[in-house]
């Protein structure tokens, strides 16, 4: 059986492993996303990968899929009003999930879940594009692009012993 996933999620998977540059340097890949999106889409002049970039990551993936971005896309919280609301029991791979965290928010793509946490493919998770396990109680919004059919449904995964919850994605 072949699984079809949204184009933006495929774009996100292609970026797995992308990392911030250490110290004062900047990742040319991350800075390239910011340059391509521009100040109008991001809402700020983005000039360093030390600035939280989860919203930038989501925006880059959506743009690659030919879809609009949230206004002030660099802000995770801006994605809480993007597109259309998706009920949590109707989640499907590629759903945009918005989370609260100390000091701000976080945004990424749903790829699955266990009883306690969502598996989120996102940027700026440990300073890289990774799949993290994030507590469901922190999730404040689930969104889907307007005019795009939801493909699939919830993906149940088993929690593995020792697999910690992400605590801070900045």
């Amino acid at each position: 059986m072949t699984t079809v996933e949204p184009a933006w999620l495929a774009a996100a998977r292609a970026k797995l492993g992308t990392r911030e540059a250490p110290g004062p340097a900047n990742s040319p890949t991350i800075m390239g996303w910011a340059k391509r999106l521009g100040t109008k889409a991001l809402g700020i002049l983005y000039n360093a990968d030390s600035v939280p970039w989860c919203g930038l990551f989501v925006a880059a993936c959506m743009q690659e899929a030919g879809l609009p971005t949230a206004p002030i896309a660099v802000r995770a919280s801006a994605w809480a009003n993007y597109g259309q609301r998706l009920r949590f029991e109707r989640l499907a791979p590629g759903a945009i999930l918005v989370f609260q965290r100390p000091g701000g928010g976080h945004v990424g793509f749903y790829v699955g879940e266990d009883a306690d946490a969502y598996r989120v493919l996102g940027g700026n998770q440990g300073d890289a594009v990774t799949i993290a396990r994030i507590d469901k109680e922190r999730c404040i919004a689930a969104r889907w692009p307007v005019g795009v059919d939801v493909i699939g449904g919830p993906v149940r995964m088993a929690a593995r012993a020792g697999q910690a919850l992400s605590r801070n994605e900045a």
Side-chain angles (χ1 to χ4, degrees):
M1 181 170 127
T2 303
T3 302
V4 177
E5 63 183 17
W8 63 90
L9 185 56
R13 286 189 194 281
K15 294 169 182 47
L16 276 165
T18 302
R19 299 195 65 78
E20 284 183 19
N26 290 301
S27 162
T29 300
I30 295 169
M31 297 311 294
W33 301 338
K35 182 177 181 179
R36 191 174 69 245
L37 284 157
T39 303
K40 185 175 180 183
L42 294 176
I44 66 168
L45 175 61
Y46 190 90
N47 59 9
D49 68 9
S50 58
V51 174
W53 52 275
C54 61
L56 168 63
F57 169 76
V58 170
C61 296
M62 299 308 280
Q63 183 187 57
E64 285 179 30
L67 294 164
T69 65
I72 313 176
V74 75
R75 289 191 183 148
S77 62
W79 292 93
N81 295 311
Y82 175 83
Q84 60 190 358
R85 183 176 146 292
L86 192 61
R87 293 187 328 267
F88 290 102
E89 64 273 9
R90 183 76 172 91
L91 291 177
I96 299 164
L97 299 182
V98 182
F99 298 89
Q100 291 180 320
R101 67 171 179 82
H106 183 63
V107 62
F109 300 114
Y110 172 91
V111 294
E113 64 188 274
D114 59 49
D116 301 317
Y118 294 119
R119 307 294 172 87
V120 179
L121 196 169
N124 208 27
Q125 298 178 164
D127 296 336
V129 177
T130 66
I131 296 175
R133 195 169 166 260
I134 303 178
D135 191 327
K136 288 181 175 181
E137 291 185 11
R138 290 180 44 206
C139 191
I140 60 168
R143 309 300 291 188
W144 194 268
V146 171
V148 178
D149 291 337
V150 176
I151 302 168
V155 176
R156 308 290 182 209
M157 304 170 112
R160 290 184 293 228
Q163 191 175 24
L165 289 172
S166 176
R167 297 283 180 218
N168 189 343
E169 297 76 37

